Amino acid sequence: MSRVRTRPTRDDTREKLFEAAARVFEDQGIGGASIEAIAAAAGFTRGAFYSNFKTKDELIIAMLEDHVEQSIRRNLDLLDRHKNLPDFLEALRTMDRSRQDPLGRSPLLHMEMILFVARAEKRRPELAKRLRARRKLITDIVATTLRNSGRNGVINPEWTGAIVLALEDGFRLHRLIDPETTPSDSFLRAITDLQRAIGVAPA
């Protein structure tokens, strides 16, 4: 009985291209990476790349979009299982990052890709859409955990979400510049200290 060989789906191809692109970007730099190198690293031809993306820039935007979508699903799932902020942060701290998308596993590459896209003003609206989605996610987390702790109304969730996101991105940039003095858990440590400072967590 012969085995039926199934062709990879479009989603499978895109996922392999995302993984390959992350490896090539980290090895060769985003600007220096070629479409040929990305396709070869994924085990595909140039034609397979172009059947999914018109340009390298389009691939990068798609990777950023996929990362945000996965991050939202992952965080909301954690929030559903960990209702208060200390428990949520601990779950976030101990989460298995090996199962995340390439940008989830490499926050520094994520930051580098954002900066690469931001260099072109015409591409910045694409970044703005992802920024707003990330900010809304954090706003929802803040609002939910405050409500569950009985501290609803203590702080403004929208403004706090903007502060927290800026803090996260800032620590990513600091770690890119000076990893020796910026531990990988700096952001989560800062959030814990911020909770205590504004009186929404036990000392």
Side-chain angles (χ1 to χ4, degrees):
M1 180 176 179
S2 62
R3 299 179 63 182
V4 177
R5 180 175 296 178
T6 59
R7 298 180 61 183
T9 66
R10 182 177 177 85
D11 286 345
D12 289 339
T13 302
R14 287 168 65 91
E15 184 176 335
K16 289 179 180 178
L17 286 169
F18 290 166
E19 292 284 348
R23 294 195 303 271
V24 174
F25 290 156
E26 289 181 321
D27 183 50
Q28 301 180 13
I30 298 173
S34 68
I35 288 173
E36 290 81 2
I38 294 169
F44 298 135
T45 63
R46 283 169 51 99
F49 181 97
Y50 286 119
S51 69
N52 287 271
F53 307 105
K54 295 178 182 177
T55 63
K56 184 171 71 174
D57 287 356
E58 188 176 296
L59 164 69
I60 291 171
I61 293 294
M63 289 178 70
L64 290 170
E65 182 175 39
D66 179 70
H67 171 68
V68 171
E69 289 176 352
Q70 289 199 42
S71 178
I72 289 172
R73 289 196 301 270
R74 188 165 51 248
N75 280 275
L76 291 180
D77 179 62
L78 281 181
L79 186 61
D80 188 55
R81 292 183 282 117
H82 305 280
K83 300 295 186 181
N84 63 68
L85 192 53
D87 288 349
F88 175 81
L89 291 176
E90 182 59 26
L92 200 61
R93 189 191 306 274
T94 59
M95 182 172 55
D96 180 8
R97 299 189 181 278
S98 67
R99 303 182 65 181
Q100 292 186 20
D101 67 288
L103 303 190
R105 296 194 302 270
S106 179
L108 299 187
L109 178 59
H110 181 210
M111 178 61 70
E112 288 181 286
M113 289 177 68
I114 289 174
L115 295 175
F116 179 83
V117 174
R119 289 193 182 99
E121 186 174 352
K122 67 179 181 180
R123 295 192 302 238
R124 289 177 192 167
E126 292 288 344
L127 288 179
K129 286 164 50 178
R130 278 76 189 175
L131 175 64
R132 291 170 188 169
R134 293 173 66 210
R135 190 178 291 162
K136 183 181 184 305
L137 168 65
I138 298 176
T139 296
D140 290 345
I141 291 170
V142 171
T144 300
T145 54
L146 283 174
R147 185 171 59 251
N148 291 336
S149 67
R151 295 178 177 269
N152 201 26
V154 174
I155 59 177
N156 182 318
E158 289 80 11
W159 179 235
T160 303
I163 293 171
V164 169
L165 186 56
L167 191 65
E168 181 182 16
D169 287 343
F171 272 117
R172 281 179 176 169
L173 182 58
H174 290 185
R175 183 160 171 77
L176 179 64
I177 296 169
D178 187 8
E180 290 185 12
T181 64
T182 313
S184 59
D185 66 343
S186 294
F187 167 66
L188 292 176
R189 287 167 55 193
I191 292 300
T192 299
D193 290 343
L194 184 61
Q195 286 180 262
R196 293 170 179 157
I198 64 179
V200 295

